[in-house]
Amino acid sequence: MRKKMDWKDVRQLIGEKPIKVALVLGSGLGSVLPLEKVKEFSYDELVGFNETSVTGHQGKLIIGSVLETKVAVLSGRTHFYENGKPDTMRGPIEFLTKIGTSYLFLTNAAGSLKQNIPTGSLMVIKDHINFSGLNPLIGEKSEERFLNLTKAYNANMIDALLLAAKQNNIEVSQGVYAWFSGPSFETPAEIQALRILGADAVGMSTVPEVILGNFFGLKVAAISVITNMASGLSQETISHEQTKLIANSCEKKLEKLLISLLRKFK
């Protein structure tokens, strides 16, 4: 059995120059960027990475460049519902810090709770509601576990996302994302509860990575691809297949946005 690689091993292969920008690509979004000079590592090759069992998540660390910006892409993520571990993404997020990452951009597929945030649109996350009650820092021994999340989503990075959207004539909204543990989709009553609490979109990921990113000192921003209206808000049949289909249809729009954004982080 081949020995798994840690961040030092990967460093030797990619060079010592810090990879300042990292992206986590969600369901159906794994091939959204045209990367050059690519090196790929499957999660099962890397220390601290859990294999993903969800279709639409490649389970690869891809390191390359977009124009002149070097970037590390996590193509797919593991979710709490896959293994019952709220900190299932701790290893990958910590790994990113070891290779020099300062900026972490997260993407996900989400359901909309608002008619003015329709299926097929993009929503920049300005805050979140941890509806699951879970936390990836449970069990952390240091005092840093008492993390201040007042500014969990970096204002400058949000501004950069909004500017990139404007420059490319891509309509985006801003909203509050609610994390629901999954894997089952929410009931209509749960969606109504989330609406009362102030959520604009709901999904089964991202919040743990936001918490971990802030814990490890990264500047964090996130964007949702709206793949459906949440339960009880339309006649559409909600399914993972639909999530992947709509996410795939939005890839070109998201790609254009991210390429424009990455130019600012050379």
Short mmCIF file of all heavy atoms in Angstrom, two decimals, residues 78-89 132 134 179-183 204-205 208:
data_model
loop_
_atom_site.label_atom_id
_atom_site.label_comp_id
_atom_site.label_asym_id
_atom_site.label_seq_id
_atom_site.Cartn_x
_atom_site.Cartn_y
_atom_site.Cartn_z
N THR A 78 -16.22 16.68 1.19
CA THR A 78 -16.97 15.70 1.97
C THR A 78 -17.92 16.46 2.89
O THR A 78 -17.65 17.58 3.31
CB THR A 78 -16.05 14.79 2.80
OG1 THR A 78 -15.08 15.59 3.50
CG2 THR A 78 -15.32 13.80 1.91
N HIS A 79 -19.05 15.83 3.16
CA HIS A 79 -20.12 16.44 3.94
C HIS A 79 -20.30 15.70 5.27
O HIS A 79 -19.99 14.51 5.38
CB HIS A 79 -21.45 16.36 3.19
CG HIS A 79 -21.43 16.93 1.81
ND1 HIS A 79 -20.80 16.29 0.76
CD2 HIS A 79 -21.96 18.07 1.30
CE1 HIS A 79 -20.95 17.02 -0.35
NE2 HIS A 79 -21.65 18.10 -0.04
N PHE A 80 -20.85 16.40 6.24
CA PHE A 80 -21.16 15.78 7.52
C PHE A 80 -22.00 14.53 7.34
O PHE A 80 -21.76 13.50 8.00
CB PHE A 80 -21.90 16.78 8.42
CG PHE A 80 -22.58 16.14 9.61
CD1 PHE A 80 -21.83 15.72 10.70
CD2 PHE A 80 -23.95 15.93 9.62
CE1 PHE A 80 -22.44 15.10 11.79
CE2 PHE A 80 -24.56 15.31 10.71
CZ PHE A 80 -23.80 14.90 11.79
N TYR A 81 -22.97 14.55 6.43
CA TYR A 81 -23.88 13.42 6.30
C TYR A 81 -23.23 12.18 5.72
O TYR A 81 -23.79 11.09 5.76
CB TYR A 81 -25.12 13.80 5.47
CG TYR A 81 -24.86 14.20 4.03
CD1 TYR A 81 -24.51 13.25 3.06
CD2 TYR A 81 -24.98 15.52 3.63
CE1 TYR A 81 -24.28 13.62 1.75
CE2 TYR A 81 -24.77 15.89 2.32
CZ TYR A 81 -24.42 14.94 1.38
OH TYR A 81 -24.20 15.31 0.08
N GLU A 82 -22.00 12.30 5.19
CA GLU A 82 -21.32 11.14 4.63
C GLU A 82 -20.67 10.28 5.71
O GLU A 82 -20.54 9.06 5.53
CB GLU A 82 -20.25 11.58 3.63
CG GLU A 82 -20.81 12.23 2.37
CD GLU A 82 -19.71 12.64 1.42
OE1 GLU A 82 -19.08 11.75 0.82
OE2 GLU A 82 -19.48 13.86 1.29
N ASN A 83 -20.22 10.91 6.78
CA ASN A 83 -19.49 10.14 7.80
C ASN A 83 -19.82 10.53 9.24
O ASN A 83 -19.24 9.98 10.17
CB ASN A 83 -17.97 10.25 7.56
CG ASN A 83 -17.50 11.70 7.48
OD1 ASN A 83 -18.10 12.59 8.09
ND2 ASN A 83 -16.43 11.95 6.73
N GLY A 84 -20.73 11.48 9.42
CA GLY A 84 -21.12 11.89 10.77
C GLY A 84 -20.09 12.73 11.49
O GLY A 84 -20.18 12.91 12.71
N LYS A 85 -19.11 13.28 10.75
CA LYS A 85 -18.05 14.09 11.37
C LYS A 85 -18.21 15.55 10.96
O LYS A 85 -17.98 15.90 9.80
CB LYS A 85 -16.67 13.59 10.92
CG LYS A 85 -16.38 12.14 11.32
CD LYS A 85 -15.04 11.70 10.75
CE LYS A 85 -14.75 10.25 11.10
NZ LYS A 85 -13.48 9.79 10.47
N PRO A 86 -18.58 16.45 11.89
CA PRO A 86 -18.70 17.86 11.54
C PRO A 86 -17.39 18.46 11.02
O PRO A 86 -17.41 19.40 10.25
CB PRO A 86 -19.12 18.52 12.86
CG PRO A 86 -19.72 17.43 13.67
CD PRO A 86 -18.96 16.19 13.29
N ASP A 87 -16.25 17.89 11.47
CA ASP A 87 -14.95 18.43 11.06
C ASP A 87 -14.34 17.64 9.90
O ASP A 87 -13.12 17.63 9.71
CB ASP A 87 -13.98 18.43 12.24
CG ASP A 87 -13.63 17.02 12.72
OD1 ASP A 87 -14.34 16.05 12.34
OD2 ASP A 87 -12.66 16.89 13.49
N THR A 88 -15.17 17.02 9.08
CA THR A 88 -14.66 16.19 7.99
C THR A 88 -13.80 16.96 6.99
O THR A 88 -12.97 16.39 6.31
CB THR A 88 -15.83 15.49 7.25
OG1 THR A 88 -15.31 14.55 6.30
CG2 THR A 88 -16.73 16.49 6.54
N MET A 89 -13.97 18.31 6.93
CA MET A 89 -13.16 19.13 6.03
C MET A 89 -12.00 19.82 6.74
O MET A 89 -11.32 20.66 6.14
CB MET A 89 -14.06 20.16 5.34
CG MET A 89 -14.95 19.58 4.27
SD MET A 89 -14.02 18.92 2.85
CE MET A 89 -13.42 20.44 2.10
N SER A 132 -28.09 23.32 11.74
CA SER A 132 -27.80 21.95 12.17
C SER A 132 -27.44 21.87 13.65
O SER A 132 -27.62 20.83 14.28
CB SER A 132 -26.65 21.37 11.35
OG SER A 132 -25.43 21.97 11.74
N LEU A 134 -24.50 21.74 14.62
CA LEU A 134 -23.21 21.08 14.66
C LEU A 134 -22.10 22.10 14.46
O LEU A 134 -22.33 23.20 13.98
CB LEU A 134 -23.14 20.02 13.55
CG LEU A 134 -24.20 18.92 13.63
CD1 LEU A 134 -24.29 18.19 12.29
CD2 LEU A 134 -23.88 17.95 14.75
N TRP A 179 -27.37 26.27 6.90
CA TRP A 179 -26.82 24.91 6.79
C TRP A 179 -27.75 23.93 7.45
O TRP A 179 -28.04 24.01 8.64
CB TRP A 179 -25.44 24.84 7.44
CG TRP A 179 -24.83 23.45 7.42
CD1 TRP A 179 -24.96 22.52 6.43
CD2 TRP A 179 -24.01 22.85 8.43
NE1 TRP A 179 -24.27 21.38 6.75
CE2 TRP A 179 -23.67 21.56 7.98
CE3 TRP A 179 -23.53 23.28 9.66
CZ2 TRP A 179 -22.88 20.70 8.73
CZ3 TRP A 179 -22.73 22.42 10.40
CH2 TRP A 179 -22.42 21.15 9.94
N PHE A 180 -28.22 22.98 6.66
CA PHE A 180 -29.04 21.86 7.12
C PHE A 180 -28.19 20.62 6.94
O PHE A 180 -27.55 20.45 5.92
CB PHE A 180 -30.32 21.79 6.29
CG PHE A 180 -31.42 21.00 6.88
CD1 PHE A 180 -32.33 21.59 7.76
CD2 PHE A 180 -31.58 19.66 6.57
CE1 PHE A 180 -33.36 20.86 8.31
CE2 PHE A 180 -32.62 18.92 7.12
CZ PHE A 180 -33.51 19.52 7.99
N SER A 181 -28.19 19.71 7.91
CA SER A 181 -27.21 18.62 7.89
C SER A 181 -27.38 17.66 6.72
O SER A 181 -26.40 17.09 6.25
CB SER A 181 -27.25 17.85 9.21
OG SER A 181 -28.45 17.10 9.31
N GLY A 182 -28.62 17.46 6.21
CA GLY A 182 -28.83 16.45 5.19
C GLY A 182 -28.67 15.04 5.76
O GLY A 182 -28.48 14.88 6.97
N PRO A 183 -28.67 14.02 4.92
CA PRO A 183 -28.74 14.06 3.46
C PRO A 183 -30.15 14.22 2.87
O PRO A 183 -30.29 14.50 1.69
CB PRO A 183 -28.14 12.72 3.04
CG PRO A 183 -28.51 11.79 4.16
CD PRO A 183 -28.43 12.63 5.40
N MET A 204 -26.44 21.86 2.29
CA MET A 204 -25.92 20.84 3.20
C MET A 204 -24.40 20.91 3.35
O MET A 204 -23.76 19.91 3.68
CB MET A 204 -26.33 19.45 2.70
CG MET A 204 -27.82 19.27 2.51
SD MET A 204 -28.19 17.65 1.77
CE MET A 204 -29.94 17.88 1.38
N SER A 205 -23.82 22.09 3.12
CA SER A 205 -22.35 22.19 3.16
C SER A 205 -21.94 23.61 3.53
O SER A 205 -22.73 24.39 4.04
CB SER A 205 -21.77 21.83 1.78
OG SER A 205 -22.14 22.81 0.83
N PRO A 208 -19.39 24.52 7.64
CA PRO A 208 -18.21 23.98 8.33
C PRO A 208 -16.90 24.53 7.78
O PRO A 208 -15.99 24.84 8.54
CB PRO A 208 -18.32 22.47 8.12
CG PRO A 208 -19.77 22.22 7.89
CD PRO A 208 -20.26 23.42 7.14
#
